[in-house]
Amino acid sequence: MDIITRKRTHPVSIGNYADKKIIIGGNAPIVIQSMTNTDSADLNSSVTQIIELANAGSELVRLTVNNEAAAANIPKIVEQLEKQNCYVPLIGDFHYNGHRLLEDFPEMAQALAKYRINPGNVGFGDKQDKQFAQIIECAIKHDKPVRIGVNWGSLDQALLARLMDENAQTKNPLSADKMQRKALVVSALESAAAAEKIGLSADKIILSCKVSEVQSLISVYRNLSAQCNYALHLGLTEAGIGSKGIVASTAALSVLLQSGIGDTIRISLTPLPNASRTEEVIVAQEILQVMGLRAFTPLVTACPGCGRTTSTVFQDLANKIQNWLREQMPLWRETYLGVEEMKVAVMGCIVNGPGESRNANIGISLPGTGESPAAPVFEDGVKTVTLRGEHIAEEFQARVEAYIQKRFAQKHLTPAPNNPNNA
């Protein structure tokens, strides 16, 4: 695969702890972030979900800060996270009243690692510029970076009207759809310029222009990237539920990432009722990993099945192994160098099974339907053992553990948690 060269952007440092900083942009790895869906005024549920997201691999976690109760609770959330040895940087998501909350709750303003504001709703009419300036001045005072996040669902209507009027006077006016895309980019760039004029440096600014259509997102970010060197946050807003959200996000972000555009990403999936919020983190990791941009956990190569694999043995085994690998990774990553890049194969029959297993670091080839229950295991291309009986899964896991201990050198230093530079 050709090496993907990312566009150089201003590196932005995020975090409240000197040895636990997250770098977005520059030469740093692409950073994964997520967002809670708990009430930020609910201490226990927010802390629990943040830890769950951080343990899944989210390197930044965003929270809604929409009222005084939520603002007052942010320092308590940070305190509780520290007590549980979780130092993931928290982002405050502000809409409409952010200027007031940041000024009225200075402990909250300091406890957050980054602010996220939307220029479409920081204020309206004569108040817009003043309230935008208040937020930027607070960020400067507390030395915090800011994501200026434009969203086409809440685009600055005054700016859009201005651009539409200008467009109508041109000889060949653009379509309304193209003008809306242009307005997103103009809003982000004009807001960034205004922030710099107030005194916020370029290495404290991250931009995003989120839409919910794949082709529009690609077009907008190509345009935005061509016009600036700010760090860029990618995400398809309101991506959707289940496979639709996953497919749409993957399609849009993969095109942009392949073009070297993007420094941090979020997959905005709508979870099923009572489902874990961590799915969006796992999808983000897998997008980056299958594209060769980062490695998080060994991924399992498994065949889709056919008439030769009418039993569910290999399906159950593939699923069990993949889940087990993900569960073990927090410990393995702290112990073994490079283990996240290991390739594992769980194949279902003799057609492609032995070949795929040989190409993996460690692989198993199950016999398929009607064959004797014998499953050869290959390590670095060499058959090492044939497993038989009812405990093939457990025996294969033991083989994987032994292979890791033999193949990957142990670390002598424990890296800082949630630091993408250790990934």
Side-chain angles (χ1 to χ4, degrees), residues 53 65 78 81 86 88 91 94 104 123 137 172 184-185 199 201 210 213 223 258 274 281 321 328 334 364 371 387 408:
L53 290 167
V65 187
V78 173
L81 291 172
C86 179
V88 61
I91 305 165
F94 298 98
D104 291 350
E137 288 166 357
N172 297 302
L184 288 163
V185 175
S201 60
K210 288 193 172 184
E213 292 180 359
N223 190 1
Q258 186 69 26
N274 301 316
V281 179
I321 293 298
Q328 297 302 310
E334 298 296 320
I364 186 170
E371 300 176 42
L387 303 180
F408 296 97

Side-chain angles (χ1 to χ4, degrees), residues 35-50 63-64 77 277:
M35 184 173 184
T36 61
N37 60 359
T38 58
D39 182 352
S40 299
D42 186 330
L43 179 63
N44 291 334
S45 64
S46 295
V47 168
T48 297
Q49 190 173 82
I50 291 167
L63 301 89
T64 296
I77 291 173
R277 191 74 164 176

Side-chain angles (χ1 to χ4, degrees), residues 205-324:
I205 297 173
I206 299 170
L207 298 185
S208 67
C209 288
K210 288 193 172 184
V211 303
S212 56
E213 292 180 359
V214 171
Q215 293 298 340
S216 293
L217 191 83
I218 294 169
S219 174
V220 165
Y221 271 92
R222 282 175 172 168
N223 190 1
L224 178 63
S225 176
Q227 296 187 57
C228 73
N229 286 316
Y230 296 111
L232 300 181
H233 169 73
L234 303 185
L236 194 72
T237 190
E238 292 96 32
I241 300 172
S243 61
K244 184 269 179 183
I246 294 172
V247 170
S249 294
T250 303
L253 269 60
S254 296
V255 171
L256 292 170
L257 293 169
Q258 186 69 26
S259 301
I261 298 171
D263 302 291
T264 174
I265 67 173
R266 183 198 169 197
I267 310 300
S268 299
L269 299 178
T270 303
L272 295 173
N274 301 316
S276 173
R277 191 74 164 176
T278 59
E279 183 181 20
E280 66 178 54
V281 179
I282 294 171
V283 172
Q285 289 179 331
E286 291 180 349
I287 289 173
L288 295 179
Q289 184 150 350
V290 299
M291 293 189 69
L293 292 167
R294 290 187 65 181
F296 298 94
T297 189
L299 297 180
V300 174
T301 298
C303 66
C306 65
R308 296 183 181 88
T309 57
T310 55
S311 75
T312 62
V313 174
F314 89 95
Q315 296 166 332
D316 293 337
L317 180 59
N319 185 60
K320 181 180 289 188
I321 293 298
Q322 180 70 80
N323 290 337
W324 175 71

